[in-house]
Amino acid sequence: MKTLRAVLATSVVVIRDGQKCRISSTELVVGDVVLLSTNEIVAADVRLVEVRGGLRLDRSALTGESEPVEATVRHLHDEVRVRYASATNMAFARSVVVFGSGKGVVVAVGAHTLQNSFTHMLTARQAAGSSSSSSFKDAKRSEFVQRELTRLAVFITASSLAISGAYLVVWAVYIRHLLEYSGRDLVLG
């Protein structure tokens, strides 16, 4: 587990006490000011406060968007019902900076990021869906399998009886034929 965390951990440039410093992404806390630059993976959910050079983020792993999103710093509270995942003033964890640079304030880290919220929600939904209907689905599946096995057993039994009957008829004809010829041989002989 420690090895996996070491692989997933990235370094991040933050401003702490007015000084730029590079820290591990695992040391990020809410309220840290993070500097983003091209080709970096965003380590936490960040509210953008400064955008330079047309900052574009690849959110395809999170939202499935095929094109990078142009980031802004404008407040979105005026727009009607903006989805959190669609907010252009946010850089979400595991997004990639594909162009430009920016600065933002960390609003969520670790298990509290949008990415992990999706993961937990999907896991919970799958667990709830499988537990509530699993016994019904299992019963239906078991009933289907039992019915198919019964059909297979009937087919094998019928086939065995037909083959045995055919073999018995062939054997009887052969014996009769054998007796007829052996009786002629006795008469002729």
Side-chain angles (χ1 to χ4, degrees), residues 24 41 63 76 97 102-103 107 111 130 132 151 164 169 173 179 182 184:
S24 169
I41 297 173
T63 62
L76 301 175
V97 179
K103 183 191 303 184
V107 295
S130 65
S132 65
R151 288 180 59 198
S164 297
V169 169
V173 168
L179 289 175
S182 61
R184 280 190 195 163

Side-chain angles (χ1 to χ4, degrees), residues 10-174:
T10 58
S11 62
V12 180
V13 177
V14 297
I15 298 176
R16 286 188 175 167
D17 299 324
Q19 301 290 324
K20 286 184 186 178
C21 58
R22 185 169 288 278
I23 63 170
S24 169
S25 61
T26 58
E27 297 174 29
L28 276 175
V29 294
V30 173
D32 273 341
V33 176
V34 178
L35 300 178
L36 304 172
S37 60
T38 303
N39 296 326
E40 285 186 351
I41 297 173
V42 180
D45 288 354
V46 176
R47 166 67 169 87
L48 298 171
V49 294
E50 184 179 308
V51 172
R52 293 183 301 273
L55 178 65
R56 291 188 175 276
L57 301 165
D58 177 2
R59 296 180 178 173
S60 59
L62 179 65
T63 62
E65 296 170 279
S66 60
E67 295 293 321
V69 176
E70 186 170 352
T72 65
V73 294
R74 72 184 172 100
H75 295 283
L76 301 175
H77 66 281
D78 295 334
E79 295 181 21
V80 179
R81 305 188 105 201
V82 172
R83 286 190 193 168
Y84 186 65
S86 301
T88 56
N89 62 354
M90 294 289 296
F92 296 108
R94 299 188 185 138
S95 297
V96 179
V97 179
V98 293
F99 192 77
S101 60
K103 183 191 303 184
V105 178
V106 174
V107 295
V109 294
H112 304 288
T113 62
L114 185 63
Q115 174 73 36
N116 284 329
S117 297
F118 284 160
T119 303
H120 291 299
M121 182 176 61
L122 288 173
T123 304
R125 181 175 286 170
Q126 287 172 348
S130 65
S131 66
S132 65
S133 64
S134 66
S135 60
F136 179 73
K137 287 179 182 176
D138 289 344
K140 285 288 198 184
R141 189 175 299 126
S142 177
E143 182 181 322
F144 174 75
V145 169
Q146 187 65 39
R147 191 171 45 244
E148 291 300 310
L149 285 174
T150 302
R151 288 180 59 198
L152 179 63
V154 168
F155 175 76
I156 289 173
T157 303
S159 298
S160 297
L161 289 173
I163 291 171
S164 297
Y167 180 75
L168 186 61
V169 169
V170 169
W171 180 76
V173 168
Y174 176 74

